[in-house]
Amino acid sequence: MIQISSSTNDRVRRVIALQRNTRRRFRAGLMVAEGLRLVGELAKSTISPADVFVTPDFCSANPAASDLVGTLSARATLFEVTDDLMRKMSDTVTPQGILAVVPIPELPAPEHNRFILIPDQVRDPGNLGSMLRTAWAAGVTDVLLPPGTVDHTNPKVVRSAMGAHFRLPTRKASWDEIWQRVGRAHVWLAEAGLGQSYDRVDWGGDVAIVIGGEAEGAGREARSRATSVHIPMAAGVESLNAAIATALLLFEVARSRRVT
């Protein structure tokens, strides 16, 4: 394990830049994953990190930490950094002592029986991260992120998604690229009180579900192609949080596909 003690080290400076700058992440094709659980999910995936940084006490924290470092040592270069350097490199207030620089995943998506999620105008990183985690759990085949949606490599999105980036094909795309990918799939837009009830829809075949953002909902482009669907709610309730609405819809699709 290579020791680093200076904040002027090029690798340390690269991590700090990746944490702060979207353009730098996409220009380099790299993002950052932090914490025992998230880096543990990375280790279970087919994606190999570029660099891994740990603090001196991390390996002795618990057996799981030691096992994780042993696993990663065969797949990446490991660097030991001081607690102070880890705090400078981290996007969290209390770093857990492990951080990995990871290639932005480019996972293949299936061409048949597609189940696509399109979060449109979703600007809250925590919401998008939760949506990605839910999409992974519900069996979504790919996620397409149109202009106006928060960058999925944002550190807060990556933490909230809890490993979905390493298993679920997710990418930024123009609307032209999105419609090309969607093809003949039926496009549904979640809208409060409009269209069919979500439990009366035939969710068979290729489907794409658009979830609008927290402030203004979906944009004009999505509305031009989509059929409205709603989640019935008690009188007086205006709408649901985007991440909650996503969970309800995606698991209804998953349930429907299991029983048909």
Side-chain angles (χ1 to χ4, degrees):
M1 190 178 300
I2 302 171
Q3 293 185 338
I4 298 176
S5 58
S6 172
S7 60
T8 62
N9 179 276
D10 286 344
R11 292 179 186 270
V12 171
R13 293 172 64 185
R14 180 173 72 171
V15 172
I16 295 171
L18 292 173
Q19 294 276 38
R20 296 175 178 174
N21 192 295
T22 297
R23 289 183 180 178
R24 179 67 181 267
R25 289 193 291 272
F26 281 93
R27 191 163 59 241
L30 299 168
M31 66 183 199
V32 180
E34 290 189 58
L36 176 61
R37 183 167 182 176
L38 184 53
V39 179
E41 290 292 344
L42 168 65
K44 296 175 189 175
S45 75
T46 59
I47 298 167
S48 293
D51 295 328
V52 177
F53 300 85
V54 297
T55 58
D57 294 335
F58 177 77
C59 293
S60 59
N62 59 60
S66 180
D67 290 345
L68 176 58
V69 170
T71 299
L72 292 172
S73 65
R75 298 169 56 183
T77 304
L78 268 62
F79 300 91
E80 184 179 275
V81 297
T82 63
D83 290 340
D84 182 58
L85 271 185
M86 182 63 75
R87 282 191 291 271
K88 291 179 179 177
M89 296 162 67
S90 175
D91 187 64
T92 64
V93 177
T94 54
Q96 295 182 15
I98 186 166
L99 178 154
V101 175
V102 188
I104 296 174
E106 295 183 359
L107 303 174
E111 296 301 323
H112 303 287
N113 200 28
R114 294 171 299 153
F115 179 11
I116 302 168
L117 174 64
I118 305 172
D120 185 23
Q121 306 295 314
V122 175
R123 296 186 173 90
D124 181 87
N127 272 350
L128 181 60
S130 295
M131 292 165 77
L132 294 179
R133 175 71 170 176
T134 300
W136 175 25
V140 165
T141 59
D142 49 322
V143 179
L144 303 174
L145 305 172
T149 290
V150 64
D151 165 28
H152 67 295
T153 68
N154 177 293
K156 292 182 176 62
V157 177
V158 176
R159 288 198 302 276
S160 298
M162 298 175 69
H165 287 74
F166 312 133
R167 307 295 180 88
L168 175 63
T170 303
R171 66 185 178 94
K172 296 172 67 174
S174 68
W175 278 110
D176 285 344
E177 292 170 327
I178 289 172
W179 297 137
Q180 182 177 9
R181 170 61 185 159
V182 166
R184 295 184 178 181
H186 197 135
V187 183
W188 296 91
L189 169 61
E191 293 199 276
L194 299 178
Q196 297 185 57
S197 173
Y198 79 135
D199 55 355
R200 295 181 180 274
V201 171
D202 178 3
W203 294 111
D206 291 347
V207 296
I209 296 179
V210 181
I211 304 290
E214 307 83 2
E216 300 176 359
R220 182 185 306 171
E221 187 72 36
R223 294 178 186 280
S224 71
R225 288 279 298 269
T227 303
S228 295
V229 62
H230 73 272
I231 300 167
M233 294 182 288
V237 180
E238 183 178 335
S239 63
L240 291 170
N241 169 276
I244 297 297
T246 299
L248 291 171
L249 280 166
L250 297 188
F251 276 96
E252 174 59 21
V253 176
R255 184 203 64 79
S256 175
R257 289 182 172 220
R258 285 198 305 272
V259 300
T260 55

